[in-house]
């Protein structure tokens, strides 16, 4: 008897298309498409991630972001609501250019702590310098320094031998002639004697150029400045009318 083998039928599995769920990003980082500016949505996303709730200002009265994207510095407003203390002498203890404020150490006002100094009141004086100032108290009871001026006594008398200045302050002496305008670097300056020197290659034959404190205008040692050079009765070169030497 012949044996007949049965051929098994192929099992056909029905094809099932996988279901793909579309998920939206969490609402905390969802962003909209940018408009004509190209990338506005990314900026919005970045602002949300950084916790920006609409561009508020920084604390402390330092300033705020303007509507056009620029930084706007708020002008310092003098607050005397707590009273006026009078004139004092102290030393600039610290100053931070980023925050635009610092503090003055004053023994007579030690009970209040260090005296607040805003950059608008600083007038070019530097950390470590002795200054005179008017002390006022703000609404929070904190002392604030305003109207700064030099705290050095008789600076003109101490430097008279070198500059020809007198008790009335520095007197410009052009009796030896006028040399013109030059560019140089403030080589040194001593705040105690209130004078220093400018190094100028064009006037090297005359030596370093004398610089009195009344002419320095807040420029510092190491800075490049333009100045007019005159010669005094002793034949020494003297710098007057300083301005920035940066182009």
């Amino acid at each position: 008897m012949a044996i007949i083998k049965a051929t098994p039928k192929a099992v056909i599995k029905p094809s099932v298309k996988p279901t793909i769920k579309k998920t939206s990003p969490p609402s905390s980082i969802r962003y909209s498409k940018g408009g004509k500016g190209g990338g506005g949505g990314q900026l919005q996303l970045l602002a949300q991630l950084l916790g920006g709730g609409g561009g508020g200002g920084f604390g402390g009265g330092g300033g705020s972001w303007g509507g056009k994207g620029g930084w706007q510095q708020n002008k310092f407003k003098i607050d005397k609501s707590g009273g006026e203390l009078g004139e004092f002498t102290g030393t600039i203890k610290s100053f931070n250019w980023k925050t635009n404020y610092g503090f003055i150490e004053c023994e007579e006002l030690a009970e209040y702590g260090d005296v607040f100094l805003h950059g608008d009141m600083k007038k070019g004086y530097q950390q470590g310098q002795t200054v005179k100032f008017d002390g006022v108290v703000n609404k929070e009871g904190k002392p604030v320094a305003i109207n700064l001026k030099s705290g050095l006594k008789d600076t003109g008398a101490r430097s008279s031998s070198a500059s020809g200045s007198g008790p009335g302050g520095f007197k410009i002496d052009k009796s030896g002639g006028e040399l013109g305008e030059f560019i140089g670097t403030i080589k040194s300056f001593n705040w105690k004697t209130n004078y220093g020197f400018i190094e100028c290659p064009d006037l090297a034959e005359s030596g370093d150029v004398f610089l009195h404190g009344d002419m320095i205008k807040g420029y510092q040692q190491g800075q490049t400045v333009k100045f007019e050079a005159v010669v005094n009765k002793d034949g020494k070169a003297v710098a007057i009318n300083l301005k920035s030497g940066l182009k």
Side-chain angles (χ1 to χ4, degrees):
M1 179 181 291
I3 299 173
I4 301 174
K5 293 183 179 180
T7 303
K9 294 183 179 180
V11 178
I12 301 175
K13 296 181 179 180
S15 59
V16 179
K17 294 184 180 180
T19 302
I20 300 175
K21 292 184 179 181
K22 295 183 180 180
T23 58
S24 300
S27 60
S28 60
I29 61 172
R30 190 175 300 145
Y31 60 93
S32 60
K33 295 182 180 179
K36 294 183 179 180
Q42 293 179 356
L43 293 178
Q44 183 178 353
L45 170 62
L46 179 60
Q48 290 176 352
L49 292 175
L50 294 176
F58 286 89
S64 60
W65 286 102
K68 295 183 179 180
W71 172 256
Q72 297 178 342
Q73 183 69 37
N74 293 337
K75 187 176 180 181
F76 176 65
K77 295 180 181 180
I78 298 174
D79 176 9
K80 301 181 181 180
S81 58
E84 298 183 34
L85 302 173
E87 187 178 69
F88 300 89
T89 300
T91 303
I92 298 178
K93 180 179 180 180
S94 62
F95 193 86
N96 188 320
W97 289 104
K98 292 183 179 179
T99 57
N100 200 31
Y101 70 83
F103 295 93
I104 293 176
E105 189 173 36
C106 176
E107 292 183 3
E108 295 178 88
L109 296 175
E111 61 184 273
Y112 287 94
D114 293 332
V115 184
F116 178 84
L117 172 63
H118 191 274
D120 290 355
M121 297 288 111
K122 193 166 173 283
K123 295 183 179 178
Y125 292 107
Q126 301 301 311
Q127 184 173 327
Q129 282 189 259
T130 299
V131 292
K132 283 186 178 180
F133 62 94
D134 291 336
V136 298
V137 180
N138 63 18
K139 62 183 179 182
E140 297 171 351
K142 303 294 185 181
V144 179
I146 61 175
N147 304 330
L148 265 68
K149 55 187 175 182
S150 176
L152 300 176
K153 298 178 181 178
D154 302 325
T155 54
R158 282 207 299 268
S159 58
S160 60
S161 60
S163 64
S165 61
F170 177 66
K171 295 179 182 179
I172 298 174
D173 177 8
K174 302 180 181 180
S175 59
E178 300 182 31
L179 301 175
E181 188 177 67
F182 299 89
I183 295 178
T185 303
I186 299 177
K187 181 179 180 179
S188 62
F189 195 86
N190 189 321
W191 290 105
K192 291 183 178 180
T193 57
N194 202 32
Y195 70 85
F197 295 93
I198 293 177
E199 186 174 35
C200 176
D202 292 332
L203 295 174
E205 59 185 38
S206 302
D208 292 333
V209 183
F210 178 84
L211 173 63
H212 190 273
D214 289 354
M215 296 288 116
I216 197 171
K217 294 182 179 178
Y219 293 108
Q220 300 300 309
Q221 184 174 326
Q223 282 189 267
T224 300
V225 293
K226 282 185 179 180
F227 62 94
E228 293 177 24
V230 299
V231 180
N232 63 16
K233 63 182 179 180
D234 298 323
K236 302 293 184 182
V238 179
I240 61 174
N241 303 329
L242 267 67
K243 55 187 176 181
S244 176
L246 301 177
K247 295 180 181 180

